[in-house]
Structure formats: structure tokens, C-alpha cells
Amino acid sequence: MRRVAIVQRVLAPTGVAVDDWEGASFLVRGPTGAVEIVDNLFDLWRKAEQLGHRRLDPLSIAPGVGAD
Amino acid sequence: MDRLPLHVLTGFLGSGKTTLLNRLVRDPEFSDSAVLINEIGAVSIDHHLVDRIEPGDGLDVVVLQGGCTCCTVRGDLVAALRELYQSRTDGLVPPFRRVVLETTGLADPAPILFTLVGDPQLRHKFEAGTVIATIDALHGLSQSEQFVECRKQIAAADRLVLTKTDIAEPDQLARTIDALGRLNPGTQAMDVNAPGILTHLLADPVQAATAWAADHVHGPAPNHTADIRAVAITFDQPIEWSPFAVWLSLLLHAHGDRVLRIKALLNVKDWPTPVVLHGIHHLIHPPTHLPGWPAGPRHSRLVFIAKDIDVGLIEASLRLFLAVHSDTADGWSNGAHRLPVVSGAA
């Protein structure tokens, strides 16, 4: 699934792994092995931040920008 | 069953919302409308004005109690819409074909649309229609400079309607139109007295999207002091849907509270017709597929209107993300996958 592959790339530095779950959901696995299933990308980002303890911000392409 | 459109009529205090609403519901073409008025305070002047419309002309008015829509009235809005729909089903009111909600002059239109899609019953009965904002040609410019509520209303609008144009000086009018173009590029400000304006205001989404797509969207002039800024982005080549959708979800996850408006006409790779996307804050409407391309180049055009964000970063981020994650990119091997979307502790 293309979307999952892109998400995996994005999250690779955080130690959070993502897999497709029955073609409709995402299986999110944190660095310590905690696993959650989420239904959409919005929930996925939220869960990935919780499990990876890192903030995700696509505007952080310049140093310090986007980090509050 | 077709869902009924809920149109939102917003605009700053005294900008002529009720005058426009009265005109609209008296027009035979729109007499099959139900009207909801968001009341603030104990006495609603707006309500009294609309309430004078004689019953039997297909109009039903429900006044929402409890003040500003953006913070306290969402439960009332749900209840009012459910009641209105039930009355329609039971034959207690004429079978109206649309709902027009007039907000208070200080309301942010976005939570109204969230309320609509967030309610499990309402979202099957109503769909988000057009957000119309009235702007006073005499005072709109200073109001938009002074009040963030006014700027948010302008930014959220699908239609901008200039009122009191007959008594405004040409220079004043020109400066107001220029300011509107900065706050909401690509949305043409219409004169309230223009012929056929009512039909244009409530055009169906596909028709509206086609009109928007046919307009050339100019990049806004830089305005480095404003809190609300817009950026218009063009892609000459088709874009891939999957990386775009992932990027957009990530942007809205991180900054949806400050992304006031998204409008996009997309040339999606492997898709023959244009795709139109509209969004307000975290809410993205289902993509609309237009029947065909308007004349001219098939470019993707996107407009982002955001508050307290350097909108140049939005463009840079999108371009970088698509470059790294498109099918043809070799992001893995050249290390570009390390696009820094991770910005510290959560």
C-alpha cells in the first residue's frame, strides 16, 4: 500500500513502525513494542507522537520553525 | 437520499448580513429555504427583522439561543438542525431544499461546519454548503485590520459579498478589494447589487468549484505584518495523490488550528479530470471530481490561508515532500527520506 510506505519513511527516524491492517486501518508499533490500531491518518500521527515521544511537524524544514 | 446543503452567512457586525438574507428568502428562486439565526444576547434584532417575513412563503426561522456560534451554541445548532429536519420529515414545515444559517457578527464559521460533520445523524442529512461573508465597503477594511474575527470570516468564505458599495468612494472600494485579495486569494469579491448575485452565491459545489477553477489564482502580494497570510502554489506537472494526502494530513495534524482555509484544484497523476479540494482547519470536504478541465493549462493550483504561520514554509514543505515521496523520486538511496518532520519532544 503506497500510503503506508510513505508513512513508514516519515516515521523511520522516530522508531515508530506502521503497517497496513486489513486494508482499512493502520497498525502502529512504538519503540518499546506497544501496539495500537488506528483508522485514519490523523489518528495515526497522534498515536505515533505518543508512542515515539516526538513531535511531528512538516514545517520543521527550517531550524526551530514549527516547534512551539 | 440527497443531503440538504447548509449555507453559512457570516460577516462582521453591521456588514449587511440580514439585509442580504432578507433579499435571499424573498426571492422566489430561494423561497424553499429554511433559515437559522444564531442569536447573541437576550434580544435579537436580526431575528425580529427576519421574523417579519410572512409565514406561508416557505420560510421557517429557528433562533439559536446562547450566543456566539464558535464557543457555546454548537449543541443548540445540532438540536435545531435535528428538529428542523424532523419537522420537514413529519410534514410540519414545507419541504425546504436548503438551510441558510446566519451567524453572529463575531462568529468563526469553522465550528459550524465541524458541528455538521461531527454529528453522526446530521452528517447523513446535511452537507456543508457555501460560506458567504459580507464585507462593508465603508468600514470593512478597518474592521479587517482591527478584528481577527473579521479576518477569519473573510478567510473562511467561499463567497465574498461587498455591501454599501453605492456609498463608498472608488478608492476606498479598491483598497478594500485589494485587502480581501490578500486574505482570501482566488475568491472574487462580488458587489451585493450585481445582477444574479443570489443565484451565484448558492451555486452548487461543483458549479462553484468550476468557476473557481476557471479563475486565474494570483499569488498574493507579500504582507509581512499580517497575522493571516495566504500563499498560492502552482504545480505544472501532475501530482501524486498518496504523498499529497499524507503530507496534508500531517500538516493539518500539526497546524490545523491555524490553517484557516485550503482550496485546491489538482491535476492528479493517472486521473483524467480535475479534483477540487476544500478545507477549513482540520475539516477537509470529500474531493470533488469535475467533469473536465477548463480551457488553459492543466496546472494544479492550491491556496492556503493560515494564521501565524510563515506560509512560505507550507509551499517549501509541500514541494519537498512531493519531490521526496513521488514515484519517480529516489528518496531512499539519496538520503532525502530524512525530511525533517520530527521536531523535538512531543
Side-chain angles (χ1 to χ4, degrees), chain B residues 235-278:
Chain B
F235 288 91
D236 296 335
Q237 301 299 319
I239 68 169
E240 292 180 39
W241 181 256
S242 289
F244 174 74
V246 170
W247 175 85
L248 185 60
S249 70
L250 193 50
L251 175 76
L252 297 181
H253 159 75
H255 300 287
D257 56 335
R258 293 185 286 170
V259 176
L260 304 181
R261 194 81 169 83
I262 298 170
K263 297 182 282 189
L265 173 82
L266 301 175
N267 183 359
V268 177
K269 190 179 176 190
D270 301 325
W271 193 265
T273 56
V275 175
V276 173
L277 207 60
H278 282 272

Side-chain angles (χ1 to χ4, degrees), chain A residues 21-68:
Chain A
W21 181 256
E22 298 181 348
S25 303
F26 300 96
L27 191 130
V28 191
R29 184 178 290 107
T32 60
V35 175
E36 300 265 0
I37 293 173
V38 295
D39 291 333
N40 57 59
L41 283 171
F42 288 102
D43 290 343
L44 185 150
W45 300 128
R46 204 160 28 236
K47 189 54 65 181
E49 282 189 339
Q50 284 174 13
L51 295 175
H53 303 290
R54 305 285 291 274
R55 182 161 181 255
L56 302 169
D57 184 355
L59 302 188
S60 64
I61 51 179
V65 174
D68 291 329

Side-chain angles (χ1 to χ4, degrees), chain B residues 43-60:
Chain B
V43 178
S44 169
I45 297 168
D46 285 356
H47 166 55
H48 290 148
L49 289 173
V50 175
D51 204 27
R52 281 204 292 269
I53 297 167
E54 293 300 317
D57 60 1
L59 176 73
D60 289 276

Side-chain angles (χ1 to χ4, degrees), chain B:
Chain B
M1 192 183 69
D2 287 346
R3 293 178 298 164
L4 300 170
L6 172 72
H7 302 288
V8 178
L9 175 58
T10 188
F12 204 65
L13 301 165
S15 62
K17 294 184 297 295
T18 305
T19 307
L20 181 61
L21 181 64
N22 275 324
R23 242 181 85 189
L24 197 129
V25 297
R26 286 193 167 92
D27 189 297
E29 191 178 345
F30 302 106
S31 61
D32 51 355
S33 303
V35 174
L36 292 172
I37 300 174
N38 182 202
E39 184 177 62
I40 188 165
V43 178
S44 169
I45 297 168
D46 285 356
H47 166 55
H48 290 148
L49 289 173
V50 175
D51 204 27
R52 281 204 292 269
I53 297 167
E54 293 300 317
D57 60 1
L59 176 73
D60 289 276
V61 176
V62 175
V63 178
L64 303 176
Q65 302 291 336
C68 194
T69 308
C70 54
C71 49
T72 59
V73 103
R74 294 166 67 162
D76 277 6
L77 178 58
V78 169
L81 284 169
R82 285 182 181 174
E83 182 185 327
L84 196 57
Y85 194 89
Q86 191 59 48
S87 299
R88 181 183 187 267
T89 305
D90 295 342
L92 300 175
V93 298
F96 57 86
R97 293 177 54 204
R98 69 186 67 77
V99 178
V100 181
L101 170 67
E102 180 188 348
T103 73
T104 69
L106 296 173
D108 178 355
I112 296 168
L113 301 177
F114 296 150
T115 302
L116 195 64
V117 299
D119 185 85
Q121 290 184 26
L122 291 182
R123 64 171 172 245
H124 297 297
K125 297 177 169 62
F126 296 95
E127 63 181 357
T130 306
V131 178
I132 303 160
T134 51
I135 300 99
D136 179 338
L138 288 178
H139 307 107
L141 181 59
S142 61
Q143 287 167 344
S144 73
E145 288 169 349
Q146 289 179 51
F147 299 101
V148 67
E149 293 88 352
C150 183
R151 294 193 291 277
K152 282 185 172 181
Q153 291 167 352
I154 293 168
D158 300 302
R159 302 276 187 279
L160 297 169
V161 181
L162 278 164
T163 60
K164 305 176 191 175
T165 50
D166 49 339
I167 50 176
E169 297 293 334
D171 178 55
Q172 196 174 24
L173 194 57
R175 282 186 288 121
T176 305
I177 290 172
D178 183 59
L180 295 178
R182 291 171 194 273
L183 283 169
N184 192 338
T187 300
Q188 194 182 2
M190 294 175 288
D191 188 330
V192 72
N193 299 311
I197 188 170
L198 297 179
T199 304
H200 187 73
L201 288 181
L202 300 185
D204 73 72
V206 172
Q207 196 182 337
T210 306
W212 182 76
D215 289 339
H216 178 69
V217 179
H218 298 272
N223 187 347
H224 297 297
T225 57
D227 57 343
I228 295 178
R229 303 179 196 176
V231 62
I233 307 169
T234 301
F235 288 91
D236 296 335
Q237 301 299 319
I239 68 169
E240 292 180 39
W241 181 256
S242 289
F244 174 74
V246 170
W247 175 85
L248 185 60
S249 70
L250 193 50
L251 175 76
L252 297 181
H253 159 75
H255 300 287
D257 56 335
R258 293 185 286 170
V259 176
L260 304 181
R261 194 81 169 83
I262 298 170
K263 297 182 282 189
L265 173 82
L266 301 175
N267 183 359
V268 177
K269 190 179 176 190
D270 301 325
W271 193 265
T273 56
V275 175
V276 173
L277 207 60
H278 282 272
I280 296 181
H281 290 288
H282 297 94
L283 171 65
I284 297 290
H285 299 299
T288 307
H289 297 270
L290 297 187
W293 280 94
R298 297 183 174 186
H299 295 159
S300 294
R301 296 198 291 261
L302 303 94
V303 172
F304 291 86
I305 306 172
K307 184 174 183 297
D308 299 326
I309 293 180
D310 177 354
V311 289
L313 279 176
I314 294 178
E315 175 169 6
S317 171
L318 175 58
R319 290 193 185 280
L320 187 56
F321 199 93
L322 292 182
V324 169
H325 295 288
S326 67
D327 254 346
T328 51
D330 190 15
W332 254 160
S333 60
N334 66 14
H337 65 284
R338 299 184 190 282
L339 177 67
V341 299
V342 182
S343 68

